[in-house]
Amino acid sequence: MSGKLPLQFADQVVLPVIVAPMFLVSSPEMVIESCKAGIIGSFPLLNARTVVILDDWMKRITDELSQVRTNEPKRRVAPWAVNLIVHRTNKRYKEDLELIKKYQPPIVITSLGDPSPVVGIIHEYGGLVFSDVSNLDHARKAAKRGVDGLILVCNGAGGHAGTINPLAFIGSVKKFWDGITILAGCISNGQDILASEVLGADLAYMGTRFIAASESFASREYQNMLIESTLEDLIYTDTFSGVNANYLAPSIRKAGLDPDQLQKKEGVDFSQLNQSEAKAWKDIWSAGQGVGTITGVLPVAEVVKELQREYDQAVSSLLEKRSK
Ligand SMILES: Cc1cc2nc3c(=O)[nH]c(=O)nc-3n(C[C@H](O)[C@H](O)[C@H](O)COP(=O)(O)O)c2cc1C
């Protein structure tokens, strides 16, 4: 575990992993089960349709995790995180920020905009701010705005993926960034987690692998499509939200569209609050290029056990190779 992470984190996790926030997919149960299994759970605040529902979710997560910590003081229970869209079109921004102040999630992940207005508020209660970036310009800007961590969203990621190769991205960012570094994009198994550490990441950010968790909000149909799909079934297009993202072509066909005849969408407001985008993400399903590793629907705790086995195996075989 990297020395960059606050000391208390190292004792709270079993693997350096964040279950990435996923629109319409991450559930409060997924967050609770991830943290109980020893990896950082997160969710987009907008997955709760109203602030009343959000208040209830944040209370449940706080209460359940603190109960586990009290009942099993030796258990590694990871911190939890929320994803706040800091773009001006987020109409719930102020109300959601109030709930962040009330429940004080240890990590706040900001996306789609300038994180500076929230950095002070989160630091005041001792929380950390991680900002997701998909190019060097955004990484440089976020680094100057006082965030604690940069999430480098590389090519092949689920959702709004970047286009930069992870080796090149992390190498270039490390030239000007000395804070917590989180790598994202196609990290799908234990070997990949170790590989991201070898590249210099402090944490691996995993989305797609967890869409098929039993606790996720994804429909059984979506999960079955993930099990049947490979990276050849993905399409990288800006048609549905105005920003390029990876989608499962079979879900596009299921919605009555021809994936080979998609039109470019001009001048679209890319906020995930946007009604048409919400509809698109409901009917047209996203996944990253790591989709081929999904072979079944499993509870989060089982996925984490599998990741631990793979990680340990990868460490042993690396050591064995080096000793020869
Ligand atoms: C279905 C889906 C929904 C997503 N929604 C969000 C979101 O609401 N906010 C966000 O910051 N990232 C979102 N992402 C991106 C993930 O947080 C993460 O960057 C990505 O999944 C990592 O790549 P991977 O899927 O290859 O592991 C989404 C990804 C997927 C697959």
Side-chain angles (χ1 to χ4, degrees):
M1 187 81 38
S2 160
K4 292 266 171 52
L5 294 180
L7 221 49
Q8 74 273 19
F9 276 24
D11 296 336
Q12 290 172 344
V13 299
V14 299
L15 281 173
V17 170
I18 300 178
V19 180
M22 290 179 283
F23 190 48
L24 305 183
V25 169
S26 317
S27 69
E29 286 70 32
M30 235 168 117
V31 176
I32 293 166
E33 291 309 312
S34 302
C35 297
K36 278 167 65 181
I39 59 174
I40 299 167
S42 77
F43 72 100
L45 294 163
L46 293 172
N47 273 13
R49 278 196 331 277
T50 65
V51 271
V52 175
I53 296 174
L54 180 60
D55 194 324
D56 173 61
W57 286 12
M58 290 173 93
K59 182 169 179 342
R60 249 166 64 204
I61 294 169
T62 311
D63 290 350
E64 287 200 31
L65 295 182
S66 93
Q67 203 170 14
V68 180
R69 285 198 184 97
T70 310
N71 294 344
E72 301 169 66
K74 292 210 171 117
R75 181 170 175 161
R76 288 179 180 237
V77 181
W80 60 292
V82 297
N83 172 219
L84 174 71
I85 291 185
V86 288
H87 194 259
R88 61 188 153 74
T89 52
N90 180 357
K91 297 190 186 85
R92 279 243 311 262
Y93 177 83
K94 269 194 187 153
E95 289 154 296
D96 288 2
L97 199 54
E98 283 310 308
L99 288 178
I100 287 178
K101 287 184 206 162
K102 180 173 170 187
Y103 289 104
Q104 308 190 343
I107 301 164
V108 175
I109 297 164
T110 66
S111 48
L112 300 178
D114 177 5
S116 20
V118 300
V119 169
I121 295 167
I122 293 149
H123 283 171
E124 204 172 298
Y125 70 75
L128 297 179
V129 183
F130 295 172
S131 201
D132 88 354
V133 293
S134 56
N135 61 49
L136 275 180
D137 182 43
H138 289 163
R140 271 193 214 96
K141 281 185 181 144
K144 283 185 192 144
R145 286 171 178 153
V147 302
D148 306 281
L150 288 182
I151 302 165
L152 314 183
V153 183
C154 301
N155 56 5
H160 293 145
T163 55
I164 308 177
N165 171 289
L167 283 78
F169 203 4
I170 200 163
S172 306
V173 168
K174 288 259 170 187
K175 287 188 180 156
F176 60 84
W177 173 250
D178 191 33
I180 300 169
T181 308
I182 304 113
L183 199 62
C186 311
I187 300 173
S188 311
N189 55 37
Q191 291 93 306
D192 300 345
I193 298 167
L194 181 65
S196 63
E197 283 186 289
V198 171
L199 290 178
D202 303 293
L203 288 161
Y205 204 61
M206 301 177 69
T208 298
R209 177 71 198 264
F210 285 90
I211 308 174
S214 329
E215 297 88 349
S216 112
F217 278 148
S219 65
R220 196 54 221 221
E221 237 181 326
Y222 184 179
Q223 294 181 324
N224 284 339
M225 198 177 281
L226 291 166
I227 294 166
E228 284 158 18
S229 297
T230 71
L231 59 86
E232 289 173 316
D233 294 304
L234 293 182
I235 287 197
Y236 186 60
T237 178
D238 64 357
T239 298
F240 303 106
S241 68
V243 175
N244 279 311
N246 277 312
Y247 297 97
L248 290 161
S251 73
I252 298 173
R253 279 187 214 104
K254 199 170 112 358
L257 298 168
D258 179 351
D260 299 323
Q261 304 287 329
L262 296 174
Q263 305 288 320
K264 188 176 164 57
K265 201 156 190 169
E266 300 290 350
V268 173
D269 175 356
F270 65 82
S271 161
Q272 286 175 341
L273 275 177
N274 184 299
Q275 285 299 313
S276 65
E277 164 126 20
K279 194 169 165 0
W281 286 74
K282 190 165 170 287
D283 300 330
I284 298 176
W285 300 324
S286 178
Q289 288 177 4
V291 65
T293 48
I294 301 172
T295 54
V297 177
L298 284 176
V300 168
E302 292 302 314
V303 179
V304 175
K305 276 188 200 149
E306 213 168 282
L307 293 175
Q308 277 184 287
R309 265 197 307 274
E310 292 163 350
Y311 180 90
D312 291 344
Q313 218 165 40
V315 172
S316 309
S317 57
L318 191 66
L319 291 174
E320 206 179 312
K321 257 189 222 160
R322 300 294 301 161
S323 69
K324 276 184 188 154

